[in-house]
Amino acid sequence: MKIRTVLCASVAALSVCAGTTAAAPAPERTGTDPVVGSAGPSAGLDPAALESALDGVHHAGVPGVFAEVRDGGTSWRGAAGVADVGTGRPVRPDMRQRIGSVTKTFTAAAVMQQVEQGRIELDAPIGRYLPRLVPGERGRKITVRMLLNHTSGLPDYLPYAFPSLQGFPSEPDVSPRSLDDNRFRRFRPAELVEMGLAAPPAGEPGGPTGVYSNTNYLLLGLLLERVTGTTAEEYITRNVIQRAGLRHTSFPTGPRIRGPHPKMYEALHGLVSPPRDYSVYDPSWTWTGAALVSTMEDLNRFYGMLLDGRIVDRSSLEQMQRTLPVRALDGSTIEYGLGLHKVDLGECGTFWGHDGSVWGAGTVSLTRADGERRMSVAVNLQRWNRMDSSGTPQHHPIDDALLTLLGQAMCDDGDARAEQAAKARVAVP
């Protein structure tokens, strides 16, 4: 098992690392803050090694990469490469990013708050709350917990929202047409859920191994609206984002991101060549599953507060950290709780968090169980690996460079880092 960064995330059958372009000439590094708010020197952070690893990702072919790593009271922030390959505008550590499925932890935390208040029961059937949307046997068998941990058996709606991608990589008529057709399309959450409900089941509800599906988290957004009487965006903003004191995290209200951000380049396994900017894109296709915009600083703060019991109470956090095997969209198996991934790095500790991808943007955020070591990394290129004739993604230097960066960000000791990082699997959302 190895760290297979999300930074290479997926869409339905297209769930493998991807991308394939060299970045335009740009500054090697466009801003680092080695120590911020330090209570003393940290043996765990090596700024020179982190900067070198960051540069390595850029030189391997990612236009821009930026990160924040914390160890106790010490923080390091860095960026390498460009936010815009056309102008050479540099990427910065404080830029905003579409964080993809990292959104799921925010949604899960909001649901658990409602569990604490008695408005939602974890093991109640979803049909109790949404009988019209999920009627009959499915509504009776699928529980709220099964939606949170992906054991509902509901398939992902993504292949049906993006039909031109369904046959990848074997069908000759596969094209990125759906990406462009949907750029400004406004999906309704119930419309997307109905696509998932109409598709063949991915498994039986409550099975021992889950199947990752974005359909689950759109249903959870609709559940929040049903029990709170407000929009899911408003509830999550007020009770999760603001409670955590996040200043640069929000649900976008339209296709454009407010504030400084990079362009986001999608290669789609070579179907889009050269990679195209999809930073302007209506986020309704992901909603409470993957629509949030945030910064790496905000993400590290959020997961630190969540694991400290300041977003949900300790009993809710314990439920969120009860994991089981879940089959990710790329076919691999990950340890998944209620909106949280578990990554065990042996001597380097157990990390909790999530990763995510939308068109052109990849993010991973992991925090050690004690809250002391936190790291969040973003890249502005996705699906860089071309496929061979059998549909297997070909190895790319970006894969190794990201492995090095994530290992450096999570582990203190060099030998332990190399050994333990090789055992980790950062899940593909």
Side-chain angles (χ1 to χ4, degrees):
M1 301 267 290
K2 65 178 182 178
I3 292 179
R4 216 172 138 255
T5 65
V6 259
L7 302 177
C8 50
S10 54
V11 171
L14 305 182
S15 50
V16 286
C17 281
T20 170
T21 185
E28 292 297 301
R29 193 176 305 107
T30 59
T32 59
D33 296 317
V35 179
V36 178
S38 176
S42 169
L45 292 185
D46 184 340
L50 286 164
E51 290 166 5
S52 176
L54 206 67
D55 288 340
V57 175
H58 170 55
H59 289 308
V62 172
V65 53
F66 50 108
E68 184 194 72
V69 182
R70 299 187 186 185
D71 191 83
T74 302
S75 298
W76 171 88
R77 300 186 188 103
V82 296
D84 185 330
V85 298
T87 66
R89 173 171 59 95
V91 71
R92 295 188 53 81
D94 60 352
M95 282 185 161
R96 300 183 185 189
Q97 171 87 335
R98 296 191 188 274
I99 62 172
S101 286
V102 180
T103 303
K104 289 180 171 64
T105 308
F106 289 76
T107 299
V111 170
M112 295 307 296
Q113 289 175 353
Q114 290 298 296
V115 171
E116 293 168 10
Q117 295 177 34
R119 294 193 181 99
I120 295 175
E121 293 182 27
L122 268 181
D123 294 308
I126 189 61
R128 176 190 297 180
Y129 305 101
L130 301 171
R132 290 177 141 183
L133 191 56
V134 195
E137 186 177 9
R138 269 180 166 173
R140 292 189 296 271
K141 285 187 173 183
I142 296 171
T143 66
V144 175
R145 186 190 301 274
M146 292 174 193
L147 297 174
L148 286 162
N149 66 15
H150 296 294
T151 58
S152 70
L154 295 176
D156 209 307
Y157 62 81
L158 289 174
Y160 308 96
F162 294 88
S164 73
L165 306 178
Q166 281 189 28
F168 187 87
S170 58
E171 299 296 329
D173 60 346
V174 170
S175 80
R177 184 177 66 253
S178 295
L179 270 70
D180 299 311
D181 289 347
N182 290 342
R183 186 187 285 270
F184 298 106
R185 179 176 175 180
R186 194 71 183 169
F187 286 100
R188 293 178 298 105
E191 173 187 7
L192 295 168
V193 167
E194 287 166 357
M195 292 179 188
L197 290 170
E204 284 296 317
T209 300
V211 178
Y212 192 99
S213 172
N214 287 285
T215 306
N216 294 321
Y217 273 75
L218 267 62
L219 271 169
L220 291 168
L222 292 168
L223 171 62
L224 278 173
E225 295 192 334
R226 170 69 177 81
V227 301
T228 65
T230 188
T231 66
E233 295 97 326
E234 183 178 346
Y235 181 85
I236 293 170
T237 297
R238 185 173 64 247
N239 294 281
V240 180
I241 294 171
Q242 292 179 359
R243 181 179 294 189
L246 309 184
R247 297 181 298 162
H248 305 296
T249 302
S250 62
F251 284 96
T253 57
R256 297 186 181 276
I257 300 172
R258 295 180 180 177
H261 63 277
K263 289 190 172 182
M264 300 168 187
Y265 297 98
E266 180 60 50
L268 201 60
H269 308 290
L271 288 179
V272 181
S273 183
R276 193 176 305 151
D277 170 33
Y278 285 94
S279 56
V280 177
Y281 210 96
D282 192 298
S284 60
W285 69 281
T286 59
W287 197 44
T288 48
L292 277 176
V293 171
S294 189
T295 62
M296 301 307 99
E297 179 183 12
D298 269 10
L299 292 183
N300 280 338
R301 178 178 175 84
F302 167 67
Y303 280 109
M305 292 190 71
L306 179 69
L307 295 181
D308 195 37
R310 289 189 279 172
I311 307 298
V312 300
D313 66 29
R314 292 289 181 180
S315 61
S316 293
L317 181 60
E318 181 184 349
Q319 293 283 345
M320 293 178 74
Q321 292 179 316
R322 292 183 181 179
T323 65
L324 48 70
V326 169
R327 190 170 73 249
L329 295 179
D330 65 350
S332 63
T333 300
I334 60 177
E335 286 297 311
Y336 201 91
L338 307 185
L340 281 174
H341 289 294
K342 178 183 179 182
V343 178
D344 187 358
L345 294 187
E347 294 177 21
C348 295
T350 297
F351 285 75
W352 296 92
H354 218 291
D355 44 10
S357 172
V358 289
W359 303 121
T363 309
V364 58
S365 185
L366 292 169
T367 291
R368 202 168 60 200
D370 62 5
E372 290 297 296
R373 191 62 170 251
R374 312 177 201 177
M375 73 100 199
S376 294
V377 177
V379 295
N380 66 345
L381 174 69
Q382 286 294 270
R383 282 157 283 274
W384 50 79
N385 304 84
R386 289 183 180 268
M387 299 291 192
D388 64 18
S389 58
S390 67
T392 301
Q394 299 177 48
H395 186 78
H396 194 287
I398 292 173
D399 305 330
D400 298 327
L402 281 169
L403 175 64
T404 298
L405 174 59
L406 295 188
Q408 183 68 52
M410 287 189 284
C411 293
D412 296 343
D413 178 81
D415 293 336
R417 181 175 63 248
E419 179 181 351
Q420 300 303 330
K423 299 178 182 178
R425 169 69 165 77
V426 177
V428 177

